[in-house]
Amino acid sequence: TMQSSGHRFRDVEHHPLLPENDSYDSSSSEADMAERVWFIRDGCGMVCAIMTWLLVVYADFVVTFVMLLPSKDFWYSVINGVLFNCLAVLALSSHLRTMLTDPGAVPKGNATKEYMDNLQLKPGEVIYKCPKCCSIKPERAHHCSICKRCIRKMDHHCPWVNNCVGEKNQRFFVLFTMYIALISAHALILCGFQFFSCVRGQWTECSDFSPPVTVILMIFLCLEGFLFLTFTAVMFGTQIHSICNDETEIERLKSEKPTWERRLRWEGMKSVFGGQPSLLWINPFAGFRIRRLLLRAKKGGPEFSV
């Protein structure tokens, strides 16, 4: 512990006393960072994110070209094709917004004398600094070793979206898990109908591909659908449970005693998804501005972790 500007300053990683809504704006670097596109340059995360897209594209290919287009039932193909592709677009859009949205990063190196003076702390008041990124830790923030920053209300770092899940992008992550679970269940149901149809028709004219190729493609789709459905359904339920209890996964695993006033279940949902219940809750495009994104990219380029 050392004395600085009339208050105590500690290098610790847990239990910060600064309020959540306290932000660092005394430096122009923070404003500049806000105008840049967020992206984490992590090899494992980028590979996992690309794999996620490829698996969704593979599922869409099998559903569309192996099962639906060869079907003799026109409306069966149209309805299921439109539904599956819409869910796929919503899932991938949610994935992009989770990956490219700042999860609530605390500015690096804001533990300066100027910032301390701006906080107007009382003499003897204790604040906490992260020794890894030299930032003042707001309440409920945790340091991510991959993003190399402290993240507000950090739930966990997910390699499949190449980003942390935190205060500002948890909604998109929940939507991503929900839509992936839905298209996985849809694909499994379509596979069941297709197997039944092919067996009943003795594998004649049930697909434009040969029977062995059709079987292999559908088996891989079933395995993918089952694994994705299991994983994302569990993750979706875990996220909703955490939101309703106003507790992040890190706080639950560390059994941290809440120093904040927990929101009621419904208030927690409205806080994460924004406002009163509406279709905007399940819309990953809500709040998205293409013009703003282009201006950010033109002005500063991507914000990489370093």
Side-chain angles (χ1 to χ4, degrees):
T1 305
M2 66 178 183
Q3 299 292 331
S4 176
S5 302
H7 61 268
R8 289 182 291 169
F9 190 68
R10 293 182 179 174
D11 288 342
V12 295
E13 292 190 37
H14 311 297
H15 309 299
L17 299 181
L18 291 179
E20 276 186 56
N21 58 2
D22 186 30
S23 60
Y24 172 60
D25 56 6
S26 62
S27 171
S28 60
S29 61
E30 169 67 358
D32 182 63
M33 186 189 76
E35 293 299 322
R36 296 183 179 181
V37 177
W38 178 270
F39 183 78
I40 299 300
R41 189 170 54 186
D42 173 58
C44 176
M46 288 188 285
V47 169
C48 289
I50 293 173
M51 285 181 57
T52 301
W53 275 67
L54 291 178
L55 288 170
V56 173
V57 170
Y58 169 78
D60 189 66
F61 169 79
V62 176
V63 168
T64 302
F65 293 97
V66 178
M67 293 190 283
L68 296 182
L69 287 182
S71 175
K72 296 179 180 180
D73 190 333
F74 174 77
W75 288 111
Y76 172 83
S77 299
V78 170
I79 293 174
N80 283 287
V82 170
L83 177 60
F84 188 89
N85 281 277
C86 285
L87 290 175
V89 169
L90 290 170
L92 294 179
S93 300
S94 301
H95 182 273
L96 272 181
R97 295 213 66 182
T98 307
M99 181 170 61
L100 301 179
T101 299
D102 176 357
V106 178
K108 289 182 179 179
N110 66 351
T112 63
K113 184 177 184 302
E114 178 186 2
Y115 183 48
M116 302 301 156
D117 295 337
N118 290 336
L119 291 177
Q120 298 181 346
L121 299 170
K122 299 177 181 178
E125 186 173 354
V126 179
I127 60 174
Y128 296 94
K129 183 186 80 170
C130 174
K132 297 178 181 178
C133 59
C134 296
S135 63
I136 302 300
K137 296 188 68 172
E139 188 174 35
R140 305 183 70 182
H142 294 274
H143 184 86
C144 174
S145 59
I146 299 176
C147 295
K148 296 181 175 61
R149 290 174 184 265
C150 287
I151 307 295
R152 295 177 183 269
K153 290 184 67 176
M154 176 181 171
D155 188 85
H156 68 289
H157 185 95
C158 178
W160 295 104
V161 297
N162 189 33
N163 202 1
C164 274
V165 177
E167 183 177 65
K168 295 182 179 180
N169 68 346
Q170 188 175 25
R171 168 175 170 258
F172 302 123
F173 181 75
V174 172
L175 294 182
F176 168 66
T177 58
M178 181 183 75
Y179 287 124
I180 289 292
L182 288 175
I183 64 173
S184 298
H186 192 193
L188 289 173
I189 293 172
L190 291 176
C191 281
F193 280 114
Q194 187 71 10
F195 271 119
F196 177 77
S197 175
C198 288
V199 170
R200 186 177 59 180
Q202 297 182 349
W203 296 93
T204 59
E205 298 182 359
C206 75
S207 174
D208 292 337
F209 296 85
S210 64
V213 173
T214 300
V215 171
I216 292 173
L217 291 174
M218 291 176 61
I219 287 176
F220 275 112
L221 178 59
C222 286
L223 291 175
E224 176 191 340
F226 177 76
L227 292 175
F228 267 52
L229 175 60
T230 303
F231 174 77
T232 55
V234 170
M235 184 60 69
F236 175 78
T238 302
Q239 287 293 302
I240 295 298
H241 181 267
S242 296
I243 293 171
C244 290
N245 288 340
D246 195 14
E247 181 182 48
T248 67
E249 188 66 14
I250 290 180
E251 292 164 351
R252 187 185 68 81
L253 292 175
K254 291 185 176 182
S255 300
E256 294 185 3
K257 294 182 179 179
T259 57
W260 62 94
E261 184 179 353
R262 287 188 170 179
R263 298 186 179 94
L264 299 176
R265 292 185 177 183
W266 198 242
E267 291 301 319
M269 292 289 290
K270 290 193 291 185
S271 172
V272 171
F273 289 92
Q276 295 297 326
S278 69
L279 290 177
L280 293 178
W281 278 25
I282 59 174
N283 179 13
F285 300 102
F288 180 70
R289 298 291 183 271
I290 296 180
R291 183 179 179 183
R292 183 186 303 171
L293 181 64
L294 293 175
L295 288 175
R296 287 181 178 180
K298 182 178 180 181
K299 181 175 181 179
E303 168 68 15
F304 292 123
S305 66
V306 293

